[in-house]
Amino acid sequence: MAVWRLQVNTGGTNVADYCLKNHVAAMGWSLRELTQAERSGIHTFLDYCNLARTQYKSFDSVCHMVEDVKEGDLLWMRSRNEGKYYIARVKANSTWVFREDAVQMDAANQLTNIDWYPATDKADEESVPGAVATSFIMGSTIQRIKKNGVEEYSQMLYNRVHDSALDLFNYPDPALSLCEKHFYSLLQPEDVEDLLALWLYDTKGYAHEGWLCALPLQQV
């Protein structure tokens, strides 16, 4: 299985609420440049690709969602309005659709039957591994998170937060240990700064004040 993160800022709009409400993973390349009559001929992904090639130099993220995201994979999404992180599992009945009613919000390419769950009660940045949070800074609309420990942590978290009435599936107990291989992927950037500060204090005798300066302790 794989872990993916989905950017839901499409057409200048954050469509996280739409994804949550409609139980989908959605993205753009919605062929808004064409008329509704022209889009009405889309019945298969091949139909979509034939039209998309006439409008876009690339629509790789759509292809990745349709061709590379598989049953059992996990998806991460961040709601910009709430600042919350959500996780979901791709199920056997999750399929690609092109939704005409989502064209104007530029979210017509959708993966269906996606049930999103808050990562924790707060679901804020401190609630998720650092490798997940930083994966939203740059990159493609959908991309795989390959950092050590993220797969195991995401499986463990999904087992804990998902509604078993909607999905009976549980991942086998992941082999997640707080070893050096996993440790740094799970840290937030602020945690790394704190560790560096402790290392400087321990090895160099330095103290820091908001990272504006660093002086030997005897000078502080």
Side-chain angles (χ1 to χ4, degrees):
M1 59 86 65
V3 178
W4 305 82
R5 76 100 178 92
L6 175 69
Q7 290 279 20
V8 287
N9 300 325
T10 66
T13 303
N14 187 272
V15 297
D17 289 343
Y18 177 90
C19 291
L20 293 169
K21 180 180 178 181
N22 293 279
H23 302 272
V24 298
M27 64 175 63
W29 292 273
S30 302
L31 300 172
R32 292 190 292 181
E33 303 82 359
L34 302 181
T35 66
Q36 183 174 351
E38 289 172 313
R39 293 190 299 266
S40 66
I42 300 175
H43 303 294
T44 67
F45 186 58
L46 179 59
D47 294 333
Y48 170 81
C49 290
N50 289 335
L51 285 176
R53 290 190 188 101
T54 69
Q55 302 298 314
Y56 309 119
K57 292 182 179 179
S58 172
F59 50 98
D60 289 346
S61 285
V62 181
C63 295
H64 286 316
M65 182 176 73
V66 177
E67 298 171 352
D68 298 333
V69 177
K70 306 295 184 182
E71 177 187 353
D73 286 357
L74 287 167
L75 303 173
W76 282 95
M77 174 179 71
R78 181 179 183 270
S79 169
R80 185 176 62 188
N81 297 333
E82 299 177 298
K84 290 186 177 181
Y85 290 81
Y86 294 86
I87 191 171
R89 188 178 77 89
V90 181
K91 293 180 282 189
N93 59 353
S94 298
T95 58
W96 170 85
V97 296
F98 185 87
R99 290 288 301 270
E100 179 64 34
D101 60 2
V103 166
Q104 292 310 308
M105 70 172 65
D106 198 21
N109 282 288
Q110 300 180 10
L111 198 61
T112 64
N113 296 301
I114 301 295
D115 299 314
W116 296 100
Y117 301 99
T120 64
D121 290 340
K122 291 185 177 180
D124 57 5
E125 188 167 296
E126 294 183 357
S127 305
V128 302
V132 171
T134 56
S135 73
F136 284 88
I137 296 174
M138 297 286 289
S140 305
T141 298
I142 190 168
Q143 66 183 33
R144 187 173 177 181
I145 308 175
K146 298 181 179 180
K147 298 293 186 179
N148 291 325
V150 170
E151 181 178 315
E152 294 87 349
Y153 185 95
S154 299
Q155 291 176 351
M156 179 182 68
L157 184 66
Y158 183 82
N159 286 348
R160 181 186 304 168
V161 303
H162 82 279
D163 184 351
S164 58
L166 296 176
D167 186 6
L168 293 173
F169 181 88
N170 274 294
Y171 292 96
D173 290 337
L176 180 64
S177 60
L178 197 58
C179 61
E180 183 177 351
K181 179 181 178 181
H182 298 152
F183 182 67
Y184 293 104
S185 295
L186 303 180
L187 291 177
Q188 291 290 341
E190 294 82 2
D191 299 328
V192 176
E193 288 185 3
D194 290 342
L195 280 177
L196 178 58
L198 290 172
W199 179 82
L200 287 171
Y201 175 81
D202 183 60
T203 62
K204 307 293 183 181
Y206 284 9
H208 77 90
E209 180 65 32
W211 289 104
L212 295 177
C213 62
L215 298 172
L217 283 182
Q218 60 267 27
Q219 299 180 27
V220 175

